[in-house]
Amino acid sequence: MKPSRLVLLDVVVVAALGLTALVQVWQTPEGEWEGGRAVHSVLIAAFTLPLLVRRRFAATVFVTMAAAAWVQFELGGNLGQPFFATAIGLYSTGAHARVPATLVGPAAILLQILFVDAPRLRDGDPLDEVVPGWFIFASIWAFGRWMRRRAREAVALVERAEAAERDMQEQAARAVADERARIAGELHDLVAHSMGVIVIQAQGAQRAIGAAPEQARAALESIEAAGRNGMAEMRRLLGLLTTTEGDAGTTPQPTLQEIPDLVARVREAGLNVDLTIGGTVRDLQPGVELTGYRVIQEAMTNALKHARTSTVDVRIDYQVDCLDIEVRDGGGKGQDADAGDRGGHGLVGMRERVKLYGGTLDTGLRPDGQGFAVRARLPVEGPPR
């Protein structure tokens, strides 16, 4: 319960107990109780108002209330008036006081047994009028201790849940950072390869033109310089994203033209893959080709690892302004909608790649519930400028 509601609850309880006792006092004929109405009114305030701070000063509040209640009883007051207030105070010593302050409650019960109830028993009062009170008060205090333990366990559970949530968020952030670093490394290879080709072609052209006009030579020199500068700047830029050290290679990354070879390898692993290619097949930007290849590769790997199926449908559709990719598995009994994330962060990698090129990615159970589907749409012009 929120602290503000707890304060409101205490105010309501104090008001109810105090007003009830005051009404009884002022309805009693003057002189029936020793000390008069004013004294009893002060005593009522003494055993009710401290309840407002019972959660913070539980032991002190209980001692104050018990003393006020006892004085009122000795002055002829009705024991029923302070009973509920004292019971709440006793509960508070169990629920809110720490050891040794919480032992004030059992000590008060023991004192009552030794100095109040024992003489009554010797005077012949029946046990059934005395002993039940011991169990009632002991139970109230024990219930307070139990509630304190439950509250501490609840706080511990909340703290563990919050720690687990923070850990999950940190893991997700690390997964995104790792995937971005890996993507950056592959993009580095793409750029390095392309720029290397430009430099080599420019150098060859310089040697081949021979007696060509100086203007052509100057243009080729500009191409070579621009290629070298562009490659150097791209290395610096991508170096900000990578987390690994060492020089990147210049080996070309896979393209969509190699999907049939990938499908053949997956078939050898025991998965029946049905590949469909639609639209006008053409060369796209290297980054778009690589992204499409990785999405298909990761989706088929997840199907091979997690889906209880032997069939996967792969569709590649070359649209005029975009590339549509869909990978669907047959699922099977027990298929989990989050299977693609088990054992790794495959879906995180897909999403980061597709997002990098301005595309969209949808993953989840198929509408018929019979399997998992991955759908990606990539603009053919690549990432937005």
Side-chain angles (χ1 to χ4, degrees):
M1 187 178 294
K2 295 181 178 180
S4 59
R5 293 184 178 179
L6 292 175
V7 172
L8 178 60
L9 176 62
D10 288 343
V11 170
V12 171
V13 170
V14 168
L17 292 176
L19 290 175
T20 302
L22 286 173
V23 168
Q24 185 177 2
V25 167
W26 288 90
Q27 285 181 345
T28 302
E30 184 68 31
E32 184 172 329
W33 290 352
E34 296 181 25
R37 294 172 178 172
V39 172
H40 284 273
S41 298
V42 172
L43 292 173
I44 289 173
F47 67 70
T48 55
L49 291 180
L51 289 175
L52 295 175
V53 292
R54 65 185 179 87
R55 303 177 195 279
R56 188 173 181 182
F57 308 104
T60 303
V61 166
F62 175 70
V63 171
T64 302
M65 294 173 58
W70 179 254
V71 171
Q72 191 203 32
F73 176 71
E74 290 297 323
L75 294 177
N78 187 350
L79 249 169
Q81 289 183 344
F83 174 80
F84 291 105
T86 306
I88 294 174
L90 182 60
Y91 164 84
S92 298
T93 64
H96 304 295
R98 298 179 180 179
V99 177
T102 186
L103 299 180
V104 168
I109 298 174
L110 181 60
L111 290 175
Q112 177 185 343
I113 294 174
L114 294 177
F115 296 102
V116 179
D117 295 332
R120 291 177 58 190
L121 291 176
R122 286 197 299 269
D123 292 340
D125 284 359
L127 288 175
D128 58 359
E129 293 183 4
V130 177
V131 176
W134 303 346
F135 289 100
I136 291 174
F137 284 118
S139 299
I140 291 173
W141 179 83
F143 179 68
R145 294 307 295 174
W146 180 77
M147 288 296 293
R148 177 181 175 85
R149 187 180 66 181
R150 288 295 302 272
R152 297 181 69 175
E153 291 176 351
V155 170
L157 288 174
V158 170
E159 291 176 350
R160 285 199 292 268
E162 291 176 348
E165 184 178 359
R166 287 194 299 269
D167 186 59
M168 290 179 60
Q169 292 175 349
E170 291 173 359
Q171 289 182 3
R174 285 196 296 268
V176 171
D178 292 343
E179 284 299 327
R180 287 179 177 175
R182 189 159 68 95
I183 294 168
E186 292 181 346
L187 289 177
H188 183 281
D189 292 345
L190 284 175
V191 175
H193 175 74
S194 300
M195 299 300 289
V197 171
I198 292 174
V199 172
I200 293 173
Q201 289 179 341
Q203 290 174 337
Q206 282 184 311
R207 297 184 180 92
I209 60 175
E214 291 297 325
Q215 184 177 2
R217 183 180 298 276
L220 290 175
E221 290 175 350
S222 298
I223 292 175
E224 182 179 2
R228 291 186 185 278
N229 292 334
M231 186 165 58
E233 291 300 326
M234 191 59 68
R235 285 183 186 274
R236 295 191 188 98
L237 177 61
L238 295 177
L240 298 175
L241 300 177
T242 56
T243 56
T244 57
E245 297 180 355
D247 293 334
T250 56
T251 304
Q253 296 293 334
T255 67
L256 292 174
Q257 307 303 320
E258 300 176 44
I259 288 297
D261 295 335
L262 176 63
V263 168
R265 292 196 297 271
V266 175
R267 285 172 178 164
E268 291 177 358
L271 196 63
N272 183 20
V273 182
D274 183 13
L275 175 63
T276 303
I277 301 177
T280 303
V281 179
R282 60 192 185 278
D283 292 334
L284 304 176
Q285 288 190 18
V288 176
E289 294 259 357
L290 174 61
T291 299
Y293 181 93
R294 294 301 189 200
V295 168
I296 296 173
Q297 181 185 43
E298 189 66 42
M300 288 198 297
T301 300
N302 287 337
L304 189 62
K305 289 181 179 179
H306 304 293
R308 300 181 182 181
T309 182
S310 60
T311 60
V312 171
D313 295 326
V314 178
R315 183 180 63 84
I316 305 175
D317 193 2
Y318 290 83
Q319 302 287 342
V320 175
D321 57 351
C322 65
L323 176 70
D324 285 338
I325 295 174
E326 184 176 19
V327 180
R328 300 186 302 172
D329 61 59
K333 187 176 181 181
Q335 171 70 6
D336 192 335
D338 294 326
D341 272 338
R342 292 183 180 179
H345 301 280
L347 296 183
V348 174
M350 290 187 206
R351 201 170 303 281
E352 288 298 317
R353 289 180 181 277
V354 172
K355 180 181 178 181
L356 183 64
Y357 283 89
T360 59
L361 179 72
D362 294 321
T363 61
L365 288 176
R366 293 164 52 180
D368 56 6
Q370 300 299 315
F372 198 79
V374 175
R375 303 177 186 85
R377 169 165 290 187
L378 293 165
V380 294
E381 68 273 9
R385 297 181 182 275

